[in-house]
Amino acid sequence: MKILLTGGAGYIGSHTIIELDKAGHSVVVVDNLVNSNPESLRRVAKIIGKEIPFYEVDVRDKEALSKVFDENKFDAVIHFAGLKAVGESVAKPLEYYHNNMTGTFVLLDVMRQNQCKNIIFSSSATVYGDPAIIPITEDCPKGHCTNPYGQTKSMLEEVLMDVQKADPEWNVVLLRYFNPIGAHKSGMIGENPNGIPNNLMPYITQTAVGIRKELGIFGNDYDTPDGTGVRDYIHVCDLASGHVAALKAINNKCGLAIYNLGTGHGYSVLDVVNAFMKVNGVNVPYVIKPRRPGDIATCYCNPAKAKAELDWEAKYGIDEMCRDSWNWQKNNPNGYGK
Protein backbone atom coordinates (compact mmCIF):
# COMPACT_ATOMS: atom_id res chain seq x y z
CA MET A 1 0.00 0.00 0.00
CA LYS A 2 1.02 3.62 -0.48
CA ILE A 3 0.72 5.42 2.84
CA LEU A 4 0.78 9.12 3.72
CA LEU A 5 2.30 9.80 7.15
CA THR A 6 1.35 13.22 8.52
CA GLY A 7 3.87 14.24 11.18
CA GLY A 8 6.09 11.47 9.87
CA ALA A 9 9.37 13.16 10.86
CA GLY A 10 8.47 12.95 14.56
CA TYR A 11 9.39 10.37 17.18
CA ILE A 12 6.71 7.77 16.48
CA GLY A 13 6.40 8.61 12.78
CA SER A 14 10.09 8.10 12.01
CA HIS A 15 10.07 4.65 13.65
CA THR A 16 6.85 3.74 11.83
CA ILE A 17 8.44 4.43 8.43
CA ILE A 18 10.94 1.64 9.14
CA GLU A 19 8.24 -0.88 10.08
CA LEU A 20 6.08 0.03 7.08
CA ASP A 21 9.06 -0.31 4.75
CA LYS A 22 9.94 -3.67 6.29
CA ALA A 23 6.38 -4.83 5.55
CA GLY A 24 6.65 -3.78 1.89
CA HIS A 25 4.60 -0.57 1.99
CA SER A 26 5.68 2.71 0.38
CA VAL A 27 5.62 5.89 2.45
CA VAL A 28 5.30 9.63 1.79
CA VAL A 29 5.84 12.04 4.69
CA VAL A 30 4.17 15.39 5.32
CA ASP A 31 5.48 17.42 8.28
CA ASN A 32 5.70 21.14 9.10
CA LEU A 33 8.84 20.51 11.23
CA VAL A 34 7.52 22.60 14.13
CA ASN A 35 8.32 19.83 16.63
CA SER A 36 10.55 17.61 14.51
CA ASN A 37 13.80 17.67 12.57
CA PRO A 38 14.42 16.62 8.95
CA GLU A 39 17.60 14.90 10.17
CA SER A 40 15.35 12.10 11.47
CA LEU A 41 14.24 11.36 7.89
CA ARG A 42 17.83 11.45 6.61
CA ARG A 43 18.77 8.87 9.22
CA VAL A 44 15.74 6.68 8.49
CA ALA A 45 16.79 6.76 4.83
CA LYS A 46 20.20 5.38 5.88
CA ILE A 47 18.56 2.65 7.96
CA ILE A 48 16.20 1.47 5.19
CA GLY A 49 18.55 2.22 2.29
CA LYS A 50 16.22 4.49 0.34
CA GLU A 51 15.09 8.10 0.26
CA ILE A 52 11.72 9.00 1.76
CA PRO A 53 9.53 11.36 -0.29
CA PHE A 54 8.98 14.38 1.96
CA TYR A 55 6.83 17.50 1.76
CA GLU A 56 7.32 20.33 4.25
CA VAL A 57 3.64 21.09 4.58
CA ASP A 58 1.33 22.05 7.43
CA VAL A 59 -1.83 19.93 7.26
CA ARG A 60 -3.89 23.08 7.90
CA ASP A 61 -2.72 24.40 4.49
CA LYS A 62 -5.42 22.97 2.25
CA GLU A 63 -3.86 24.12 -1.00
CA ALA A 64 -0.44 22.64 -0.21
CA LEU A 65 -1.96 19.40 1.11
CA SER A 66 -4.16 19.06 -1.98
CA LYS A 67 -1.03 19.34 -4.13
CA VAL A 68 0.50 16.39 -2.24
CA PHE A 69 -2.60 14.33 -3.02
CA ASP A 70 -2.56 15.50 -6.66
CA GLU A 71 0.99 14.14 -7.01
CA ASN A 72 0.35 10.82 -5.22
CA LYS A 73 -2.36 8.18 -5.13
CA PHE A 74 -2.65 7.14 -1.50
CA ASP A 75 -4.30 3.98 -0.22
CA ALA A 76 -4.39 5.16 3.40
CA VAL A 77 -3.28 7.92 5.76
CA ILE A 78 -1.62 7.47 9.17
CA HIS A 79 -2.30 10.73 11.00
CA PHE A 80 0.39 11.59 13.56
CA ALA A 81 0.54 15.36 13.03
CA GLY A 82 -0.41 17.33 16.11
CA LEU A 83 0.90 19.27 19.09
CA LYS A 84 1.27 16.96 22.08
CA ALA A 85 2.73 18.61 25.20
CA VAL A 86 0.18 18.38 28.02
CA GLY A 87 1.52 21.34 30.05
CA GLU A 88 1.83 23.57 27.00
CA SER A 89 -1.73 22.71 25.98
CA VAL A 90 -2.98 24.05 29.34
CA ALA A 91 -1.05 27.30 28.77
CA LYS A 92 -2.00 27.61 25.08
CA PRO A 93 -5.42 25.97 24.62
CA LEU A 94 -6.42 27.98 21.56
CA GLU A 95 -3.23 27.04 19.71
CA TYR A 96 -3.78 23.35 20.52
CA TYR A 97 -7.42 23.30 19.48
CA HIS A 98 -6.66 25.20 16.29
CA ASN A 99 -3.66 23.08 15.31
CA ASN A 100 -4.99 19.63 16.18
CA MET A 101 -8.65 20.09 15.30
CA THR A 102 -8.35 22.30 12.21
CA GLY A 103 -5.46 20.25 10.83
CA THR A 104 -7.54 17.07 11.02
CA PHE A 105 -10.61 18.74 9.50
CA VAL A 106 -8.58 19.93 6.50
CA LEU A 107 -6.91 16.51 6.12
CA LEU A 108 -10.26 14.67 6.16
CA ASP A 109 -11.72 17.08 3.61
CA VAL A 110 -8.76 16.64 1.24
CA MET A 111 -8.89 12.85 1.71
CA ARG A 112 -12.60 12.84 0.87
CA GLN A 113 -12.06 14.93 -2.24
CA ASN A 114 -9.43 12.45 -3.39
CA GLN A 115 -11.47 9.34 -2.59
CA CYS A 116 -8.93 8.22 0.02
CA LYS A 117 -11.17 7.04 2.84
CA ASN A 118 -8.82 4.97 4.99
CA ILE A 119 -7.28 6.56 8.08
CA ILE A 120 -5.36 5.36 11.12
CA PHE A 121 -5.55 8.01 13.84
CA SER A 122 -2.87 8.52 16.46
CA SER A 123 -4.99 8.76 19.61
CA SER A 124 -4.07 8.36 23.25
CA ALA A 125 -4.91 6.54 26.46
CA THR A 126 -5.56 10.01 27.87
CA VAL A 127 -9.08 9.74 26.39
CA TYR A 128 -9.95 7.34 29.23
CA GLY A 129 -9.37 10.10 31.80
CA ASP A 130 -9.21 8.55 35.26
CA PRO A 131 -10.12 5.08 33.99
CA ALA A 132 -13.21 3.32 35.29
CA ILE A 133 -11.52 -0.08 35.01
CA ILE A 134 -7.93 -1.36 35.25
CA PRO A 135 -6.55 -2.92 33.12
CA ILE A 136 -8.23 -0.71 30.54
CA THR A 137 -10.09 -2.42 27.70
CA GLU A 138 -11.46 -0.67 24.62
CA ASP A 139 -14.93 -0.97 26.20
CA CYS A 140 -13.86 1.25 29.09
CA PRO A 141 -15.96 4.43 28.92
CA LYS A 142 -14.10 7.55 27.91
CA GLY A 143 -13.48 9.85 30.85
CA HIS A 144 -13.03 13.55 31.41
CA CYS A 145 -9.74 14.72 29.89
CA THR A 146 -7.92 17.05 32.25
CA ASN A 147 -6.07 19.06 29.58
CA PRO A 148 -6.69 20.53 26.11
CA TYR A 149 -4.25 18.08 24.45
CA GLY A 150 -6.31 15.13 25.69
CA GLN A 151 -9.53 16.92 24.76
CA THR A 152 -8.37 17.27 21.15
CA LYS A 153 -7.72 13.53 20.94
CA SER A 154 -11.08 12.68 22.47
CA MET A 155 -13.00 15.18 20.31
CA LEU A 156 -11.25 14.08 17.13
CA GLU A 157 -12.20 10.47 17.88
CA GLU A 158 -15.83 11.64 17.97
CA VAL A 159 -15.38 13.54 14.69
CA LEU A 160 -13.88 10.47 13.01
CA MET A 161 -16.67 8.25 14.32
CA ASP A 162 -19.26 10.68 12.92
CA VAL A 163 -17.51 10.81 9.53
CA GLN A 164 -17.46 7.01 9.32
CA LYS A 165 -21.09 6.73 10.45
CA ALA A 166 -22.23 9.24 7.82
CA ASP A 167 -20.27 7.51 5.04
CA PRO A 168 -19.65 3.78 5.59
CA GLU A 169 -17.06 3.78 2.78
CA TRP A 170 -14.65 5.17 5.38
CA ASN A 171 -12.44 2.82 7.36
CA VAL A 172 -11.28 4.48 10.56
CA VAL A 173 -8.86 2.91 13.05
CA LEU A 174 -8.37 4.69 16.37
CA LEU A 175 -5.12 3.63 18.06
CA ARG A 176 -5.03 4.57 21.72
CA TYR A 177 -1.35 4.71 22.68
CA PHE A 178 -0.07 4.21 26.15
CA ASN A 179 3.43 5.55 26.97
CA PRO A 180 5.98 5.12 24.15
CA ILE A 181 9.64 5.04 25.16
CA GLY A 182 12.80 3.47 23.71
CA ALA A 183 14.45 4.02 20.35
CA HIS A 184 15.53 2.11 17.25
CA LYS A 185 18.23 -0.39 18.12
CA SER A 186 20.68 1.32 15.73
CA GLY A 187 20.78 4.33 18.08
CA MET A 188 20.38 6.58 15.02
CA ILE A 189 16.85 7.80 15.74
CA GLY A 190 14.96 8.38 18.98
CA GLU A 191 12.94 10.85 21.02
CA ASN A 192 14.20 14.39 20.50
CA PRO A 193 12.10 16.80 22.60
CA ASN A 194 12.40 20.56 22.23
CA GLY A 195 13.49 22.22 25.47
CA ILE A 196 12.65 20.61 28.81
CA PRO A 197 11.16 17.15 28.23
CA ASN A 198 7.52 16.55 29.15
CA ASN A 199 7.88 12.77 29.28
CA LEU A 200 9.66 10.56 31.80
CA MET A 201 12.22 8.69 29.69
CA PRO A 202 13.87 11.63 27.91
CA TYR A 203 14.13 13.34 31.30
CA ILE A 204 15.84 10.23 32.69
CA THR A 205 18.25 9.98 29.76
CA GLN A 206 19.06 13.71 29.77
CA THR A 207 19.78 13.50 33.51
CA ALA A 208 21.97 10.43 32.96
CA VAL A 209 23.93 12.18 30.21
CA GLY A 210 24.39 15.32 32.32
CA ILE A 211 22.08 17.77 30.54
CA ARG A 212 19.73 17.91 33.55
CA LYS A 213 20.88 18.08 37.17
CA GLU A 214 18.26 15.68 38.51
CA LEU A 215 14.99 13.99 37.67
CA GLY A 216 11.83 15.28 39.32
CA ILE A 217 9.37 12.57 40.36
CA PHE A 218 5.95 14.10 40.87
CA GLY A 219 4.32 12.48 43.88
CA ASN A 220 5.23 9.40 45.92
CA ASP A 221 1.97 9.10 47.84
CA TYR A 222 -0.28 7.51 45.23
CA ASP A 223 -2.13 4.30 45.99
CA THR A 224 0.47 2.18 44.17
CA PRO A 225 3.07 -0.35 45.41
CA ASP A 226 5.82 2.28 45.84
CA GLY A 227 3.69 5.44 45.87
CA THR A 228 4.75 6.66 42.40
CA GLY A 229 2.45 6.69 39.38
CA VAL A 230 2.07 3.45 37.42
CA ARG A 231 1.91 3.53 33.62
CA ASP A 232 1.98 1.16 30.66
CA TYR A 233 5.26 1.86 28.86
CA ILE A 234 5.59 0.50 25.32
CA HIS A 235 8.70 0.33 23.13
CA VAL A 236 8.33 2.77 20.25
CA CYS A 237 9.24 0.01 17.75
CA ASP A 238 6.38 -2.12 19.10
CA LEU A 239 4.08 0.89 18.76
CA ALA A 240 5.30 1.41 15.19
CA SER A 241 4.60 -2.23 14.29
CA GLY A 242 1.10 -1.74 15.70
CA HIS A 243 0.40 0.69 12.85
CA VAL A 244 1.44 -1.90 10.28
CA ALA A 245 -0.86 -4.40 11.98
CA ALA A 246 -3.70 -1.84 11.93
CA LEU A 247 -3.54 -1.82 8.14
CA LYS A 248 -5.03 -5.32 8.35
CA ALA A 249 -8.19 -3.79 9.78
CA ILE A 250 -8.26 -1.30 6.89
CA ASN A 251 -7.80 -4.14 4.36
CA ASN A 252 -10.65 -6.03 6.01
CA LYS A 253 -12.95 -3.01 5.57
CA CYS A 254 -13.28 -2.59 9.33
CA GLY A 255 -15.54 0.46 9.22
CA LEU A 256 -14.68 1.71 12.70
CA ALA A 257 -12.12 -0.12 14.87
CA ILE A 258 -10.52 0.90 18.17
CA TYR A 259 -7.41 -0.67 19.67
CA ASN A 260 -5.27 -0.11 22.75
CA LEU A 261 -1.55 -0.30 22.02
CA GLY A 262 0.36 -1.12 25.19
CA THR A 263 2.07 -4.04 26.88
CA GLY A 264 -0.57 -4.75 29.52
CA HIS A 265 2.06 -4.32 32.26
CA GLY A 266 2.11 -1.42 34.68
CA TYR A 267 5.49 -0.02 35.74
CA SER A 268 5.88 2.69 38.38
CA VAL A 269 8.11 5.71 37.84
CA LEU A 270 10.62 4.23 40.30
CA ASP A 271 10.44 0.86 38.50
CA VAL A 272 11.54 2.60 35.30
CA VAL A 273 14.27 4.66 37.00
CA ASN A 274 15.69 1.61 38.80
CA ALA A 275 15.54 -0.57 35.68
CA PHE A 276 17.33 2.16 33.70
CA MET A 277 20.14 2.43 36.25
CA LYS A 278 20.52 -1.34 36.55
CA VAL A 279 20.46 -2.17 32.83
CA ASN A 280 22.79 0.66 31.79
CA GLY A 281 25.03 0.93 34.85
CA VAL A 282 24.52 4.68 35.15
CA ASN A 283 23.26 6.82 38.01
CA VAL A 284 20.13 8.97 37.77
CA PRO A 285 19.79 11.37 40.72
CA TYR A 286 16.16 12.20 41.48
CA VAL A 287 14.06 14.26 43.88
CA ILE A 288 10.46 13.75 44.94
CA LYS A 289 8.25 16.74 44.10
CA PRO A 290 4.57 17.49 44.74
CA ARG A 291 1.98 15.76 42.56
CA ARG A 292 1.08 17.43 39.28
CA PRO A 293 -2.57 18.43 38.84
CA GLY A 294 -4.41 16.02 36.55
CA ASP A 295 -2.06 13.07 37.08
CA ILE A 296 -3.72 9.77 37.97
CA ALA A 297 -2.35 6.91 40.07
CA THR A 298 -2.55 3.94 37.69
CA CYS A 299 -3.05 3.52 33.96
CA TYR A 300 -2.30 0.35 32.00
CA CYS A 301 -4.18 -1.57 29.37
CA ASN A 302 -5.49 -4.95 28.38
CA PRO A 303 -4.10 -5.35 24.84
CA ALA A 304 -5.99 -8.60 24.12
CA LYS A 305 -8.18 -7.12 21.36
CA ALA A 306 -5.17 -6.10 19.22
CA LYS A 307 -3.71 -9.59 19.70
CA ALA A 308 -6.97 -11.31 18.73
CA GLU A 309 -7.91 -9.13 15.75
CA LEU A 310 -4.58 -7.82 14.43
CA ASP A 311 -2.23 -10.58 15.60
CA TRP A 312 -0.16 -7.85 17.25
CA GLU A 313 1.48 -7.82 20.65
CA ALA A 314 4.39 -5.97 22.21
CA LYS A 315 7.67 -7.91 22.00
CA TYR A 316 9.97 -5.76 24.14
CA GLY A 317 10.14 -5.46 27.92
CA ILE A 318 11.27 -2.67 30.20
CA ASP A 319 14.96 -3.68 30.00
CA GLU A 320 15.06 -3.29 26.20
CA MET A 321 13.16 0.00 26.45
CA CYS A 322 15.73 1.36 28.92
CA ARG A 323 18.74 0.00 27.01
CA ASP A 324 17.60 1.42 23.64
CA SER A 325 16.68 4.79 25.16
CA TRP A 326 20.18 5.14 26.62
CA ASN A 327 21.84 3.90 23.44
CA TRP A 328 20.13 6.73 21.54
CA GLN A 329 20.87 9.42 24.12
CA LYS A 330 24.52 8.58 24.79
CA ASN A 331 25.26 8.49 21.05
CA ASN A 332 23.27 11.68 20.43
CA PRO A 333 23.60 13.81 23.58
CA ASN A 334 22.12 16.78 21.73
CA GLY A 335 19.49 14.80 19.86
CA TYR A 336 19.53 15.69 16.17
CA GLY A 337 21.87 18.56 16.88
CA LYS A 338 19.34 21.32 17.42
Side-chain angles (χ1 to χ4, degrees):
M1 294 170 80
K2 187 166 189 178
I3 316 291
L4 173 65
L5 263 57
T6 70
Y11 174 45
I12 301 168
S14 57
H15 288 81
T16 301
I17 296 168
I18 296 168
E19 297 300 321
L20 287 167
D21 180 73
K22 206 187 290 181
H25 301 290
S26 63
V27 175
V28 174
V29 169
V30 157
D31 200 304
N32 66 1
L33 302 179
V34 165
N35 273 330
S36 55
N37 190 311
E39 177 63 20
S40 68
L41 296 177
R42 287 190 281 271
R43 295 191 184 189
V44 169
K46 283 183 186 169
I47 292 167
I48 67 174
K50 65 177 83 155
E51 291 301 309
I52 300 128
F54 168 62
Y55 295 83
E56 188 176 344
V57 165
D58 189 308
V59 290
R60 292 171 294 181
D61 185 339
K62 188 172 182 182
E63 191 179 338
L65 192 61
S66 296
K67 189 168 181 289
V68 176
F69 275 80
D70 287 344
E71 293 175 7
N72 300 274
K73 176 84 173 115
F74 295 115
D75 298 301
V77 173
I78 299 179
H79 183 31
F80 294 114
L83 299 174
K84 65 178 185 67
V86 169
E88 185 182 60
S89 79
V90 175
K92 299 179 176 179
L94 197 56
E95 285 82 352
Y96 268 67
Y97 285 117
H98 178 55
N99 186 87
N100 294 5
M101 304 296 292
T102 307
T104 306
F105 297 158
V106 172
L107 173 66
L108 291 170
D109 193 23
V110 173
M111 288 175 68
R112 179 175 60 180
Q113 288 172 1
N114 286 273
Q115 288 299 305
C116 176
K117 295 183 177 181
N118 297 316
I119 186 167
I120 295 172
F121 177 60
S122 166
S123 190
S124 167
T126 195
V127 302
Y128 293 114
D130 195 347
I133 50 173
I134 297 285
I136 301 165
T137 67
E138 291 81 357
D139 296 325
C140 178
K142 285 166 69 168
H144 171 68
C145 295
T146 54
N147 57 77
Y149 159 72
Q151 284 280 45
T152 66
K153 293 297 187 186
S154 187
M155 291 160 69
L156 285 170
E157 284 197 358
E158 300 300 320
V159 169
L160 285 157
M161 289 177 188
D162 287 344
V163 166
Q164 198 281 325
K165 192 175 179 182
D167 180 358
E169 284 186 9
W170 279 86
N171 295 297
V172 171
V173 181
L174 308 177
L175 296 182
R176 293 173 178 167
Y177 305 169
F178 282 72
N179 295 63
I181 59 176
H184 190 261
K185 64 178 185 284
S186 66
M188 290 172 66
I189 61 170
E191 192 166 7
N192 183 46
N194 288 336
I196 298 171
N198 292 289
N199 298 327
L200 174 63
M201 186 54 81
Y203 217 113
I204 290 174
T205 61
Q206 289 190 9
T207 303
V209 88
I211 295 172
R212 311 275 160 212
K213 189 177 112 197
E214 60 195 10
L215 167 72
I217 295 177
F218 299 99
N220 66 343
D221 56 352
Y222 287 102
D223 184 16
T224 61
D226 62 20
T228 63
V230 169
R231 297 291 182 269
D232 191 332
Y233 295 95
I234 176 172
H235 197 295
V236 66
C237 292
D238 279 331
L239 185 59
S241 72
H243 293 77
V244 179
L247 290 171
K248 290 179 188 168
I250 300 274
N251 276 330
N252 292 334
K253 303 280 187 257
C254 62
L256 171 70
I258 302 172
Y259 299 101
N260 289 331
L261 293 185
T263 64
H265 299 289
Y267 296 101
S268 74
V269 174
L270 282 176
D271 286 337
V272 177
V273 173
N274 290 329
F276 184 91
M277 292 195 288
K278 182 181 173 196
V279 165
N280 297 309
V282 291
N283 188 42
V284 180
Y286 62 83
V287 290
I288 304 297
K289 296 186 173 182
R291 291 185 184 191
R292 288 182 301 197
D295 274 356
I296 58 177
T298 301
C299 181
Y300 63 93
C301 80
N302 178 342
K305 186 181 178 191
K307 168 72 172 159
E309 296 185 12
L310 303 177
D311 195 27
W312 173 89
E313 61 184 334
K315 293 188 301 192
Y316 300 111
I318 194 70
D319 286 359
E320 288 103 330
M321 297 181 216
C322 291
R323 188 178 296 119
D324 291 343
S325 295
W326 180 233
N327 187 40
W328 151 252
Q329 186 76 70
K330 72 182 179 186
N331 287 309
N332 303 271
N334 299 311
Y336 292 118
K338 272 187 180 177

